[in-house]
Amino acid sequence: MLADGSASVADLAPGLGFRLVVFAVAIFMATHLRRGRGWARIALALTLGVFGTLSLVMEPIQWLLDGNSVVQAVVDADAMTFVSATTRVLHLAAVLAAMALMFGPTANAYFRGARGR
């Protein structure tokens, strides 16, 4: 957006600030998750697992609901569009995998052991 002139740094600053706060909170919770704190597992699942997933899928769903065609989008796509779509899909896959791993048998055993320490 900066490169094509459709936005200035001032236009992007609030979004960047929000993301910085989200990343800082996520790192804080991940640190406590690593220490076996159950509250961090629940907090990460609710914030990044639920709301993060919604933020990744709402825009494409709305785009489809607006009557757009996936086939036409692929035909019209440039390299940056493919990169953006690929990173969104990989990000979603990472979030879903993390959610499954955070509540899998190995993680449950880890958190049970952390309570005993």
Side-chain angles (χ1 to χ4, degrees):
M1 294 170 81
L2 287 173
D4 69 13
S6 63
S8 68
V9 173
D11 295 332
L12 299 176
L16 292 172
F18 177 75
R19 283 172 176 77
L20 181 62
V21 169
V22 168
F23 291 143
V25 171
I27 290 168
F28 172 79
M29 289 188 292
T31 301
H32 286 279
L33 177 79
R34 178 73 174 97
R35 294 179 184 156
R37 306 295 191 267
W39 65 264
R41 179 164 67 156
I42 300 302
L44 276 168
L46 291 175
T47 56
L48 297 181
V50 174
F51 296 113
T53 299
L54 287 174
S55 73
L56 288 169
V57 299
M58 288 307 296
E59 184 181 343
I61 289 171
Q62 186 60 53
W63 182 84
L64 288 170
L65 291 174
D66 289 341
N68 293 295
S69 163
V70 173
V71 172
Q72 191 61 46
V74 171
V75 169
D76 295 342
D78 59 6
M80 197 59 174
T81 302
F82 281 115
V83 168
S84 178
T86 301
T87 58
R88 184 180 295 256
V89 168
L90 291 174
H91 188 166
L92 181 59
V95 169
L96 296 175
M99 291 293 293
L101 291 171
M102 275 194 332
F103 291 94
T106 304
N108 290 337
Y110 177 78
F111 281 95
R112 274 193 305 274
R115 265 185 273 161
R117 285 182 259 164

